[in-house]
């Protein structure tokens, strides 16, 4: 939970762990009402120790060192899955009750709204009939609003036009400040923290609208049409996560085991969990460590479209540029540096410039969907794959813009801009179990001391003192351990990290209001056959299978 520069975790049975951006920690017991209003975390494994700050700083420096990093391999993972993973994270942690105060919220709504579930609350909010959330919808009460880009003159007249449907909808003229005008009209504004996740969110909006348009031809209308469209979208989304997303980041044998035979450790049968009748919690081992695997997949720069690529008129899309061309972290203006981005009201552009529309051919591999015509030209940089899942983060992540963590308009110490340090510090403050403790908990062979310290083409720990290396080898911070584990598993989460992520996804789908885990006979209808629905199939449906919609700027 992130609010105004503080972060907190309500861990069921333990209380609230709350700390500010200066690292000051307070632990207290919540009131009953506050307990209902807080996102409910849980602890899957044992309580761990704490990691000395000097070790966290040294380890963060090793993780974000400016060294060559391998791309994903065996097979390569298209880069779009990095930001699909971020979109999914926001879906898991979306609070549908955040703006509901007073007697209009029932206990049942609070429990459901604060539970981790994979049912696209970050896309739908509370739905078009809710007075506060109808602003996200068109007048028909069925389809989602989309936005229009702003014309620009770089590099040519082809981008000096507005293009409807290629930006998130924004508050616009109704906003009093520049930050207000750029505010996205979506339930979870975290999905506008960087351009890649914003364009992913837009693709899901278009997917919903296209599904609704298709179902309308069957005679459905009004709320019945919205409900049917939402349910069909959510089921296809869940199928795609299970069959296309998870096997790319986790050892497929673990995914198959969990979704075929069920959970063994997290809220499993026999542990007081009776399925969807009880609301899921979220283990801090998942939130603070295992699902932060995506940080290691991030590239320093991307071949974005025909304008912004390594051979184009503009530069490749660096991470700073992806933050810049968003409404929450940036100001849509090139040349902005971090001090400017830290001011939420800097800049004069309120909508995404047309020349920054994503070329989805560069983010996903459409040859998997038998569409070789959707391969981007090598002459303009080609496509992108993720970095390998390992203990290295691209070094721009050692200096995040403050908008990436809710710190705009404040003074932020440099070390707190380092993403690796932030991850290690969260784990320290909630006393997360070590990697070795979780391996013992799962009954699997732990990594050896040599594997922890030397790794496999990952972070080099030589700069740590002998004492620091011994401490890391004996009680390895869980996030670092999970990434080290992936180095020895061909870049896939293994016995500890993979088990945590797969079981939490299973529980989150089981506990969703619409759930294919509870409907094992369900099969997709919007893909090439009744067993296949991938992210590329979702994009093809959303953009009508047309190259000029998946890549509106052309080659």
């Amino acid at each position: 939970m992130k609010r105004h520069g503080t972060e907190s975790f309500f861990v069921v049975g333990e209380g609230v762990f709350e700390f500010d951006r200066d690292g000051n920690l307070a632990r207290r017991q919540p009131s009953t009402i506050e307990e209902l209003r807080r996102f409910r975390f849980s602890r899957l494994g044992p309580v761990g120790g704490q990691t000395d700050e000097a070790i966290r700083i040294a380890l963060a420096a090793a993780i974000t060192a400016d060294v060559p990093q391998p791309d994903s391999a065996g097979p390569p993972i298209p880069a779009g899955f990095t930001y699909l993973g971020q979109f999914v994270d926001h879906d898991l942690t979306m609070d549908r009750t955040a703006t509901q105060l007073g007697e209009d919220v029932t206990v049942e709504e609070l429990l459901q709204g604060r539970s981790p579930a994979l049912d696209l609350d970050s896309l739908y909010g509370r739905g078009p009939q809710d007075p506060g959330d109808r602003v996200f919808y068109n007048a028909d009460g069925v389809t989602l609003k989309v936005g229009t880009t702003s014309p620009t003159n770089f590099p040519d007249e082809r981008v000096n036009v507005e293009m409807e449907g290629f930006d998130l909808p924004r508050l616009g003229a109704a906003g009093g400040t520049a930050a207000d005008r750029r505010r996205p009209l979506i339930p979870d504004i975290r999905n506008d923290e960087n351009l890649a996740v914003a364009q992913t969110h837009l693709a899901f909006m278009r997917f919903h609208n296209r599904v609704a348009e298709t179902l309308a031809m069957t005679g459905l209308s009004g709320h019945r049409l919205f409900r049917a469209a939402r349910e069909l979208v959510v089921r296809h989304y869940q199928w795609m996560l299970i069959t296309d997303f998870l096997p790319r980041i986790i050892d497929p044998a673990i995914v198959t085991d969990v979704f075929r035979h069920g959970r063994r450790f997290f809220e499993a049968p026999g542990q007081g969990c009776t399925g969807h009748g009880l609301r899921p919690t979220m283990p801090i081992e998942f939130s603070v460590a295992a699902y932060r695997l995506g940080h290691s997949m991030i590239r320093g720069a991307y071949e974005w479209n025909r304008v912004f690529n390594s051979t184009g008129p503009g530069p490749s899309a660096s991470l700073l540029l992806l933050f810049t061309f968003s409404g929450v972290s940036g100001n849509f203006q090139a040349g902005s540096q971090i001090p400017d981005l830290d001011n939420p009201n800097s800049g004069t552009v309120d909508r995404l410039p047309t020349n920054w529309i994503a070329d989805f051919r560069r983010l996903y591999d459409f040859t998997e969907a038998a569409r070789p015509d959707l391969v981007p030209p090598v002459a303009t940089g080609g496509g992108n794959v993720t970095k390998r899942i390992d203990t290295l983060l691209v070094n721009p992540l050692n200096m995040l813009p403050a908008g990436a963590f809710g710190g705009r308009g404040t003074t932020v110490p440099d070390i707190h801009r380092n993403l690796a340090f932030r991850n290690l510090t969260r784990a320290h403050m909630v006393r997360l179990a070590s990697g070795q403790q979780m391996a013992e908990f799962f009954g699997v062979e732990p990594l050896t001391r040599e594997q922890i310290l030397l790794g496999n083409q990952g972070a080099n720990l030589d700069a740590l003192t002998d004492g620091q290396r011994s401490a890391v080898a004996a009680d390895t911070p869980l996030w670092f351990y999970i990434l080290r584990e992936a180095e020895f598993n061909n870049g896939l989460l293994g016995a500890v990290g993979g088990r945590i992520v797969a079981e939490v996804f299973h529980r989150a789908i089981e506990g969703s209001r619409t759930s294919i885990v509870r409907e094992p006979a369900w099969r997709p209808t919007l893909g090439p056959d009744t067993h296949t629905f991938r992210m590329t199939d979702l994009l093809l449906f959303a953009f009508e299978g047309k190259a000029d919609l998946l890549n509106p700027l052309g080659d």
Side-chain angles (χ1 to χ4, degrees):
M1 179 178 174
K2 241 178 5 180
R3 293 289 185 272
H4 309 299
T6 65
E7 294 184 82
S8 62
F9 298 87
F10 167 48
V11 181
V12 175
E14 297 186 36
V16 177
F17 294 80
E18 190 165 67
F19 46 95
D20 61 26
R21 64 172 58 88
D22 295 322
N24 300 312
L25 171 67
R27 181 175 173 180
R28 56 188 173 78
Q29 292 299 317
S31 67
T32 301
I33 293 175
E34 183 183 30
E35 184 173 317
L36 287 173
R37 287 203 171 277
R38 283 185 173 270
F39 195 97
R40 290 182 310 287
F41 291 88
S42 57
R43 194 181 293 274
L44 173 59
V47 175
Q50 294 188 299
T51 307
D52 181 76
E53 183 176 53
I55 294 178
R56 284 182 274 128
I57 292 172
L59 200 52
I63 293 169
T64 57
D66 188 8
V67 298
Q69 296 173 291
D71 289 340
S72 58
I77 305 172
F81 285 100
T82 304
Y83 299 96
L84 173 64
Q86 185 178 4
F87 176 86
V88 169
D89 175 63
H90 295 167
D91 181 28
L92 279 168
T93 58
M94 171 65 184
D95 174 14
R96 291 191 307 116
T97 69
T99 60
Q100 289 179 289
L101 300 174
E103 297 178 357
D104 60 325
V105 186
T106 66
V107 170
E108 175 69 13
E109 286 172 332
L110 280 170
L111 290 173
Q112 176 64 55
R114 300 299 280 154
S115 296
L118 287 165
D119 51 11
L120 291 175
D121 278 346
S122 61
L123 183 68
Y124 294 114
R126 297 183 296 267
Q129 293 187 317
D130 181 87
D133 285 7
R134 65 172 56 129
V135 66
F136 308 135
Y137 294 84
N138 290 311
D140 60 14
V142 174
T143 56
L144 290 157
K145 290 178 181 177
V146 293
T148 301
T149 61
S150 60
T152 184
N153 56 15
F154 177 80
D156 51 44
E157 284 302 305
R158 293 170 63 187
V159 297
N160 199 13
V161 294
E162 295 183 334
M163 295 194 71
E164 183 180 0
F166 291 96
D167 186 21
L168 297 175
R170 301 188 183 278
L171 187 58
T177 67
D180 290 337
R181 293 192 298 274
R182 290 191 289 261
R183 183 182 177 87
L185 295 178
I186 58 176
D188 193 335
I189 64 169
R190 293 176 299 172
N191 282 349
D192 194 32
E193 285 178 345
N194 70 68
L195 179 57
V197 75
Q199 292 279 284
T200 301
H201 187 104
L202 178 68
F204 275 87
M205 298 169 84
R206 294 184 69 127
F207 180 54
H208 166 83
N209 289 351
R210 181 94 195 284
V211 169
E213 176 187 315
T214 302
L215 291 178
M217 293 189 288
T218 68
L220 292 174
S221 62
H223 188 61
R224 291 178 60 228
L225 173 58
F226 170 75
R227 187 171 62 248
R230 175 174 182 163
E231 289 178 356
L232 192 60
V233 166
V234 168
R235 289 187 177 99
H236 280 83
Y237 165 65
Q238 292 174 349
W239 186 277
M240 179 269 292
L241 294 180
I242 295 168
T243 64
D244 190 31
F245 175 60
L246 290 181
R248 295 180 190 269
I249 63 172
I250 299 173
D251 186 331
I254 297 174
V255 179
T256 298
D257 177 54
V258 171
F259 282 91
R260 183 172 295 169
H261 302 117
R263 303 183 305 280
R264 291 195 285 132
F265 299 96
F266 173 51
E267 296 184 354
Q271 295 181 345
C273 174
T274 58
H276 64 280
L278 295 178
R279 303 304 180 196
T281 60
M282 177 176 287
I284 52 176
E285 294 86 352
F286 174 91
S287 178
V288 180
Y291 202 60
R292 294 178 184 269
L293 80 143
H295 296 162
S296 138
M297 299 166 69
I298 296 171
R299 301 189 67 85
Y302 295 85
E303 313 289 352
W304 188 250
N305 56 28
R306 75 165 176 90
V307 178
F308 296 102
N309 62 74
S310 56
T311 65
S316 298
S318 67
L319 288 182
L320 180 58
L321 287 171
L322 291 182
F323 283 121
T324 298
F325 285 91
S326 71
V328 171
S329 296
N331 59 17
F332 295 130
Q333 289 185 250
S336 299
Q337 300 300 314
I338 286 178
D340 295 318
L341 294 190
D342 284 356
N343 175 4
N345 291 307
S346 63
T348 59
V349 180
D350 299 334
R351 294 176 286 152
L352 180 70
T354 297
N355 59 3
W356 276 97
I357 297 172
D359 176 356
F360 277 104
R361 305 174 309 163
R362 299 173 186 267
L363 297 176
Y364 293 93
D365 181 5
F366 286 91
T367 63
E368 296 175 351
R371 287 295 301 269
D373 58 309
L374 295 177
V375 174
V378 175
T380 57
N384 306 272
V385 297
T386 70
K387 288 297 181 181
R388 184 184 67 155
I389 299 173
D390 58 23
T391 53
L392 289 169
L393 272 61
V394 291
N395 72 339
L397 295 177
N398 68 359
M399 190 55 68
L400 292 172
F405 50 84
R408 297 182 89 177
T410 66
T411 301
V412 182
D414 283 352
I415 189 60
H416 292 171
R417 294 182 184 271
N418 185 300
L419 183 57
F421 178 80
R422 296 180 68 82
N423 289 346
L424 294 167
T425 298
R426 287 185 185 93
H428 160 85
M429 290 181 169
V430 298
R431 301 184 69 92
L432 206 61
S434 68
Q436 290 83 0
Q437 286 178 295
M438 291 306 297
E440 181 179 3
F441 179 77
F442 289 142
V444 299
E445 190 72 23
L447 296 179
T448 66
R449 174 185 174 88
E450 182 179 68
Q451 287 175 316
I452 292 292
L453 294 181
L454 300 182
N456 181 17
Q457 297 181 292
N460 185 322
L461 305 188
D462 288 351
L464 277 66
T465 67
D466 289 344
Q468 289 173 337
R469 284 196 297 273
S470 293
V472 169
D475 293 292
T476 311
L478 183 58
W479 175 61
F480 185 82
Y481 182 98
I482 286 168
L483 297 180
R484 245 343 176 213
E485 186 180 61
E487 291 176 11
F488 293 96
N489 196 37
N490 202 29
L492 295 171
L493 295 191
V496 171
R499 175 62 59 175
I500 294 171
V501 173
E503 292 211 2
V504 170
F505 267 66
H506 185 279
R507 181 69 177 112
I509 294 175
E510 179 190 65
S512 298
R513 285 160 295 181
T514 299
S515 169
I516 65 172
V517 165
R518 301 200 313 270
E519 302 174 68
W522 185 86
R523 293 294 180 270
T525 58
L526 302 179
D529 56 53
T530 58
H531 297 282
T532 307
F533 190 75
R534 300 154 297 206
M535 187 60 185
T536 49
D537 298 312
L538 185 150
L539 291 167
L540 286 168
F541 194 88
F543 290 93
E544 304 172 37
K546 297 178 179 178
D548 61 346
L549 295 179
L550 286 160
N551 171 38
L553 301 191
D555 292 334

